[in-house]
Every structure is written in structure tokens, then in C-alpha cells.
């Protein structure tokens, strides 16, 4: 019986042990299976994260690359008084050559993506006879020199637009186009908005003048409605709105206004300037006073808008010796860096650089010479034209007089954004 009891006990223990081992094995398999499944899931998450990070990095790289930049350079009055064109005449070739006048500023002008200035004269033709103030008529060789210097666009709406009547206006437009440039402010047929696109940045250009020195009578009433852009607030507002409807990135307004020889802008300039910004203008470039007036930044809806009320004389015979006013010798090249975020389709004025200039007039072997000097280049010794302390004093004064008008209220603000 004892033997039988032990056999039964052994069988029971064996059965119990087998069941216990089976249970442990199944649990172990389950544990191992779950661990494998969990590991696979984690691995997939990591792969997804790695792909997401790579894609995000690629998108950021692409977005960073979708930025476009251009530089616009603007100058004030380009005038040609009779002493200037007489000095440019070569008795041997019997031709006019104005190109030396621009030799020191050419590098700045031609390096800009767009360069523009106020052409304050006409090229009516030699059959009329060349003349200076008060009714200008300049050799077209002046336009050749301006083009050679690097200019692209000339504003032709100013008080001298009709100095030689309709013929002078039309011939001037034709000659500007002949030398591969474009004009704004006066028109032969249709009054249209000039649009230039560079590096996927589209800019509209408009130009207006306060008056025509009483020469309005040389055009019919109908011709006056489209051949010259006279300052009229309704017209300006309407044309800016028309330009905005053209899906432009920026609108530049060149405007001939203000009081001659006054270094401070008039109340009229200040009020009209703010209106033009309010109507949708982005950059306002002033001319006519023949002296440099202040520049200003106005932040509108988070974007900086720029006004310079007068850029002074870039080239003329006006100066201390002829006018009793040394400020008429001063000018400025304004360089605006424009940046467009192509991804967001938004454009800003990124930066502004000021390059003060001075018209150097002297005699060489008894003959007058005119040269536009970038003042800082001379002061640093990059331009070698003698070490005359009187000349240096005049240039230092000119530089300081100009820059004191540029610094205040003309810095890109922290609010400026896309």
C-alpha cells in the first residue's frame, strides 16, 4: 500500500510540475512577444521622427532660399547750364562729351539694379540752338553720358519739361529711349505706369511736377491731361490705386515739389508726403529745391516707408560762386536695399545707404571741368585730386551738412517686417 501511495503521489507531483512549467513557458512567450512588438513600435516612431526632422530641415532650407534682393539708387537734379555744355565741347572733334563728369560716381550707379534721377532739361535738337537757364535745351550727348554712367530711368516731369514746347518734350522722350533708358512723368501718347521686374520683384514708378514755368500753353488742354503729370491729389491717389491693382511689390513716386533753396521741407511737402504714403506709396523721391532736404521713415502697418524731400543737385553750375549759396553744390545718392520673401509674397525696405556728393568745378588749362565727387571717397584718400586744404574743408562741410539731414528719423525701425 505504501508503494501504491508513493506512486500516486509521484504522479500527482509530476502532473502539477508539468502544469507549472507549461504556465511559466507560456507567460515567458507572452512577455517576449510583447517586448518584440513594443520594440518594433518604438523603432517606427523613431523612423517617423527622423523623416519629419529631415523634411522640416529641408523645408526650412527651401524657405530660407526663397529670398530675393535688389538695390535701387536714386539721385536728384541733373542740370546742364550753359557753362557746362560749353565746357563739354571739343573744338577738335566738334562734339560734346559729358562722360568725364560721372567718372567718380559711375561705380555706384552702374552697380545698382535700378538707377534713376531727375533729368531737368530737354534735348529738343541742335536746330533750336542749345541754351541754359531759363529755358534749357541740352545736347543729346548728355543722355549718352548719363546712360554710360549706369542710369536706367529718368524722371522728366519737372518745371523745365516744356522749355522747348511739345517738340522738346517729345524729342527728349525719344532720345532717352534711343540710348536704352526709360522715362517717367511725361508721355507722347498714353499716360501709363512704368513697371520694372528684377529678381521677381515688381516695382511701379510714377512721377509728378508742381508746374511748368508757365509753358503750359504749348500743349492743348487735352494734351495737358496725359503728356505731363502735374501734381493733382486725385490723380496721384487714383494712379497709386491703379498701380496697387497691378499686384506690384513696391510703388516709387518721384515728385518735383517744394521751395527752391530751402533746406527744410515746406508744410505742403510734409502733408502731401504723408498722404502719398497713406494712399499706398512706398518710396518718395523728392527734387526741385536744389539743396538737400531731410529724409524720413514712416512705419505704416508694420512696414517702413521712405521719403526724402529733396536730393539736391546731383549736377549743375549752381554753387557758392554763382549763387552765394554753398548748399546748391551738395547732392546725395540714396541706395535702398529691397528684400522680398518669395514664400510669403511680402516685400520690405531692408536698408538705406546715403552717399553724399559734391560738384567739383575747376579750371584745367583755362578750361572749366565739372566732376561729381562721392565725398567720402575723397576724404578717405580714394580719389586723388590734390591735397588742397580749402577743397577739403568745403567737402567736409558739405558732407556734414548733408548727413545731418539724413540721420534723424531715417533709420529702419524695429517694427519693419514682412
Amino acid at each position: 500500500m505504501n508503494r501504491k501511495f508513493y506512486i500516486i503521489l509521484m504522479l500527482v507531483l509530476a502532473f502539477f510540475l508539468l502544469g507549472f512549467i507549461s504556465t511559466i513557458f507560456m507567460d515567458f512567450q507572452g512577455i517576449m512577444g510583447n517586448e518584440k512588438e513594443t520594440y518594433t513600435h518604438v523603432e517606427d516612431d523613431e523612423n517617423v521622427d527622423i523623416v519629419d526632422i529631415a523634411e522640416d530641415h529641408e523645408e526650412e532650407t527651401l524657405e530660407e532660399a526663397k529670398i530675393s534682393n535688389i538695390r535701387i539708387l536714386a539721385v536728384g537734379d541733373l542740370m546742364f547750364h550753359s557753362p557746362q555744355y560749353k565746357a563739354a565741347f571739343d573744338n577738335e572733334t566738334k562734339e560734346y562729351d559729358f562722360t568725364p563728369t560721372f567718372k567718380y560716381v559711375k561705380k555706384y550707379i552702374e552697380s545698382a539694379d535700378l538707377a534713376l534721377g531727375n533729368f531737368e532739361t530737354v534735348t529738343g535738337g541742335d536746330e533750336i540752338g542749345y541754351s541754359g537757364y531759363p529755358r534749357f535745351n541740352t545736347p543729346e550727348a548728355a543722355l549718352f553720358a548719363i546712360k554710360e554712367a549706369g542710369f536706367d530711368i529718368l524722371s522728366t516731369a519737372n518745371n523745365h519739361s516744356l522749355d522747348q514746347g511739345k517738340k522738346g518734350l517729345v524729342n527728349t522722350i525719344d532720345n532717352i529711349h534711343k540710348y536704352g533708358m526709360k522715362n517717367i512723368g511725361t508721355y507722347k501718347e498714353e499716360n501709363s505706369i512704368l513697371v520694372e521686374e528684377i529678381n521677381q520683384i515688381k516695382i511701379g514708378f510714377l512721377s509728378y511736377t508742381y508746374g511748368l514755368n508757365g509753358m503750359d500753353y504749348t500743349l492743348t488742354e487735352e494734351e495737358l491731361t496725359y503728356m505731363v503729370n502735374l501734381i493733382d491729389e486725385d490723380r496721384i491717389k487714383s494712379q497709386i490705386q491703379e498701380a496697387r491693382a497691378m499686384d506690384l511689390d513696391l510703388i516709387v513716386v518721384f515728385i518735383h515739389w517744394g521751395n527752391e533753396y530751402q533746406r527744410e521741407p515746406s508744410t505742403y511737402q510734409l502733408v502731401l508726403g504723408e498722404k502719398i504714403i497713406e494712399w499706398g506709396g512706398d518710396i518718395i523721391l523728392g527734387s526741385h529745391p536744389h539743396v538737400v532736404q531731410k529724409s524720413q521713415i514712416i512705419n505704416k502697418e508694420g512696414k517702413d516707408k521712405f521719403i526724402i524731400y529733396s536730393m539736391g543737385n546731383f549736377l549743375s553750375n549752381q554753387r557758392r560762386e554763382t549763387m552765394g549759396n554753398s548748399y546748391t553744390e551738395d547732392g546725395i545718392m540714396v541706395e535702398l536695399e529691397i528684400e522680398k520673401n518669395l514664400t510669403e509674397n511680402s516685400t520690405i525696405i531692408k536698408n538705406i545707404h546715403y552717399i553724399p556728393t559734391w560738384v567739383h568745378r575747376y579750371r584745367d588749362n583755362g578750361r572749366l571741368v565739372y566732376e561729381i565727387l562721392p565725398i567720402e571717397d575723397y576724404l578717405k584718400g580714394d580719389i586723388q585730386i590734390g591735397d588742397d586744404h580749402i577743397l577739403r574743408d568745403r567737402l567736409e562741410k558739405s558732407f556734414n551738412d548733408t548727413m545731418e539731414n539724413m540721420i534723424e528719423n531715417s533709420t529702419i525701425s524695429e517694427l519693419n517686417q514682412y
Side-chain angles (χ1 to χ4, degrees):
M1 180 170 179
N2 288 337
R3 182 175 177 167
K4 187 175 181 180
F5 172 79
Y6 285 120
I7 292 171
I8 292 172
L9 181 61
M10 291 296 290
L11 288 172
V12 170
L13 290 172
F15 182 80
F16 179 80
L17 183 61
L18 182 62
F20 179 76
I21 293 170
S22 297
T23 301
I24 292 174
F25 179 76
M26 290 175 67
D27 289 342
F28 180 76
Q29 272 194 323
I31 292 169
M32 290 301 290
N34 285 342
E35 286 181 348
K36 184 177 181 181
E37 183 178 350
T38 303
Y39 174 76
T40 302
H41 182 68
V42 170
E43 184 183 47
D44 288 344
D45 281 348
E46 288 178 350
N47 286 340
V48 170
D49 289 343
I50 291 170
V51 171
D52 288 345
I53 291 170
E55 288 178 350
D56 289 345
H57 179 71
E58 183 179 354
E59 288 176 3
E60 287 175 5
T61 302
L62 288 173
E63 288 179 0
E64 287 174 3
K66 291 181 179 179
I67 297 293
S68 185
N69 295 277
I70 64 170
R71 289 184 300 116
I72 299 173
L73 184 138
V75 305
D77 302 327
L78 286 153
M79 305 189 73
F80 295 85
H81 293 92
S82 54
Q84 293 167 255
Y85 68 74
K86 290 175 181 178
F89 185 71
D90 188 321
N91 285 315
E92 293 184 4
T93 63
K94 304 301 180 185
E95 294 180 351
Y96 293 90
D97 183 8
F98 296 91
T99 55
T101 300
F102 300 93
K103 65 181 180 180
Y104 294 119
V105 291
K106 180 176 179 176
K107 65 179 181 180
Y108 295 102
I109 301 166
E110 66 182 2
S111 66
D113 295 292
L114 283 172
L116 58 158
N118 173 48
F119 189 63
E120 196 160 358
T121 182
V122 297
T123 55
D126 58 359
E127 66 276 10
I128 300 174
Y130 299 130
S131 56
Y133 181 83
R135 292 178 57 185
F136 289 92
N137 185 38
T138 303
E140 69 174 73
L143 288 172
F144 172 80
I146 289 170
K147 174 60 178 177
E148 283 294 297
F151 283 96
D152 304 290
I153 300 170
L154 295 179
S155 174
T156 47
N158 53 65
N159 54 310
H160 292 285
S161 298
L162 288 174
D163 276 8
Q164 302 301 326
K166 180 180 177 180
K167 179 180 179 180
L169 182 148
V170 170
N171 285 354
T172 301
I173 295 172
D174 287 341
N175 288 330
I176 289 171
H177 296 174
K178 172 183 173 181
Y179 289 105
M181 295 178 288
K182 298 177 181 179
N183 81 291
I184 51 175
T186 60
Y187 308 90
K188 293 197 301 181
E189 297 172 356
E190 182 182 0
N191 187 323
S192 58
I193 299 168
L194 175 64
V195 177
E196 294 289 295
E197 182 172 358
I198 299 176
N199 297 342
Q200 300 183 63
I201 300 176
K202 292 175 66 176
I203 304 175
F205 293 90
L206 297 166
S207 175
Y208 306 90
T209 180
Y210 75 92
L212 297 164
N213 286 356
M215 298 295 289
D216 313 49
Y217 72 91
T218 61
L219 298 180
T220 66
E221 288 188 15
E222 181 186 357
E223 288 170 337
L224 273 172
T225 63
Y226 67 88
M227 293 193 79
V228 185
N229 265 353
L230 291 169
I231 292 175
D232 175 273
E233 291 191 11
D234 290 336
R235 169 185 281 188
I236 296 172
K237 183 178 181 180
S238 175
Q239 290 189 328
I240 290 176
Q241 289 174 343
E242 180 185 346
R244 279 293 169 208
M246 298 168 70
D247 194 29
L248 302 177
D249 297 302
L250 284 178
I251 296 174
V252 177
V253 178
F254 216 118
I255 188 161
H256 208 67
W257 60 357
N259 299 318
E260 289 185 317
Y261 316 118
Q262 299 300 308
R263 296 187 69 217
E264 291 295 326
S266 66
T267 301
Y268 175 74
Q269 285 173 276
L270 295 170
V271 172
L272 181 56
E274 289 190 6
K275 286 182 179 179
I276 292 173
I277 296 298
E278 188 63 34
W279 296 332
D282 298 291
I283 297 169
I284 301 175
L285 304 170
S287 60
H288 178 61
H290 303 301
V291 295
V292 176
Q293 293 179 344
K294 73 174 184 176
S295 61
Q296 182 180 8
I297 293 289
I298 297 177
N299 190 276
K300 181 175 182 290
E301 298 175 354
K303 288 190 177 182
D304 284 340
K305 314 295 181 178
F306 176 75
I307 305 175
I308 183 164
Y309 292 93
S310 173
M311 293 177 285
N313 283 331
F314 191 58
L315 175 63
S316 82
N317 189 56
Q318 293 181 334
R319 57 198 308 100
R320 185 179 67 184
E321 291 83 357
T322 60
M323 304 287 295
N325 185 343
S326 64
Y327 299 117
T328 59
E329 304 165 8
D330 306 338
I332 193 164
M333 294 185 282
V334 180
E335 185 182 79
L336 299 117
E337 293 183 22
I338 308 301
E339 182 172 286
K340 180 178 182 180
N341 185 318
L342 300 174
T343 304
E344 299 180 8
N345 192 34
S346 184
T347 305
I348 61 172
I349 301 170
K350 183 70 174 178
N351 218 332
I352 304 168
H353 302 282
Y354 301 106
I355 308 166
T357 60
W358 187 77
V359 180
H360 186 207
R361 189 186 77 158
Y362 63 98
R363 289 191 178 273
D364 183 18
N365 294 324
R367 184 173 178 174
L368 276 176
V369 177
Y370 293 84
E371 295 169 343
I372 307 167
L373 302 182
I375 299 175
E376 198 166 13
D377 288 0
Y378 172 79
L379 296 178
K380 291 189 302 184
D382 295 338
I383 297 176
Q384 301 295 328
I385 52 174
D387 192 22
D388 184 338
H389 72 277
I390 296 177
L391 176 61
R392 175 170 288 273
D393 289 346
R394 289 180 71 169
L395 284 165
E396 286 178 348
K397 180 181 182 303
S398 174
F399 183 88
N400 293 330
D401 289 340
T402 296
M403 288 307 295
E404 72 179 13
N405 273 333
M406 298 301 108
I407 295 171
E408 188 177 359
N409 298 322
S410 64
T411 304
I412 295 295
S413 73
E414 294 179 359
L415 298 174
N416 194 32
Q417 58 188 5
Y418 290 115

